[in-house]
Amino acid sequence: MPTLTLRPNGAGAAAGLNLEVPIGDPHWQLVDEAVADDADKVGSNTTGYVYDLYFLTAPGAVSGLITEVRVYFRTWKITTPPPPNVPVYAKPRLWLDYANTYGTEVDVNYGFPANYNEALARPSGGTWVMADLPGLQAGIGINSPGVVEGWCSQLYVVVTYTQQRTWVID
């Protein structure tokens, strides 16, 4: 089945993550890489979930029936000094027309990045349609106890769809 990869291309409806490297760069530019280098990243050391949301690249003139919308993200935690056993959690989020869908909470790895992905339902329920994609925002939430930093260096959405066929009968 064909797919569309949608990467962040602008700040969305939430900007809660309080850390970024390099400092001062727009958060969406720090997670939009096709190949993560982990040098550019956003993060949090705030207790409780805080989220960033990002607008996504426009899919262009594509038609078909969407079968899945999957969020991919790359995250890890660091402490100075350790203990590495302090938990940090992350979860993906989709936003569409003021409605949200949150993904499953993952326990973030210590010291080295790990890739996660999860298929998420349409935020306001119902069936995904191609017309949803221009207004879709994706993001990441991080829940850190304050003494540990949780980081994200990559986030993108992959849309799987079936192409519609047109039959011409003579």
Side-chain angles (χ1 to χ4, degrees):
M1 280 195 235
T3 61
L4 299 168
T5 300
L6 309 177
R7 298 193 185 281
N9 72 346
L17 297 178
N18 65 325
L19 303 171
E20 73 265 351
V21 175
I23 294 172
D25 281 7
H27 286 193
W28 67 270
Q29 288 182 339
L30 303 176
V31 297
D32 69 340
E33 301 164 324
V35 177
D37 65 11
D38 302 327
D40 300 345
K41 55 194 176 227
V42 295
S44 177
N45 59 358
T46 302
T47 301
Y49 269 100
V50 291
Y51 291 89
D52 268 7
L53 283 169
Y54 313 111
F55 281 104
L56 302 169
T57 51
V62 176
S63 65
L65 301 173
I66 295 175
T67 58
E68 181 179 81
V69 175
R70 185 170 289 271
V71 180
Y72 290 77
F73 61 100
R74 183 173 174 85
T75 187
W76 70 99
K77 66 181 176 183
I78 59 172
T79 61
T80 308
N85 60 343
V86 176
V88 172
Y89 302 101
K91 60 182 167 182
R93 176 182 174 188
L94 290 177
W95 185 95
L96 179 66
D97 296 331
Y98 300 97
N100 294 286
T101 296
Y102 297 91
T104 304
E105 181 175 81
V106 295
D107 190 352
V108 173
N109 285 338
Y110 174 71
F112 61 93
N115 298 307
Y116 302 94
N117 68 81
E118 182 176 3
L120 295 179
R122 188 173 183 271
S124 55
T127 303
W128 286 104
V129 294
M130 288 292 182
D132 290 335
L133 299 182
L136 182 64
Q137 296 179 32
I140 186 76
I142 297 175
N143 179 359
S144 174
V147 297
V148 180
E149 297 172 352
W151 292 98
C152 176
S153 62
Q154 186 180 43
L155 183 134
Y156 59 96
V157 172
V158 173
V159 178
T160 304
Y161 65 100
T162 58
Q163 293 178 317
Q164 293 176 322
R165 296 189 175 164
T166 304
W167 300 95
V168 177
I169 300 174
D170 291 330

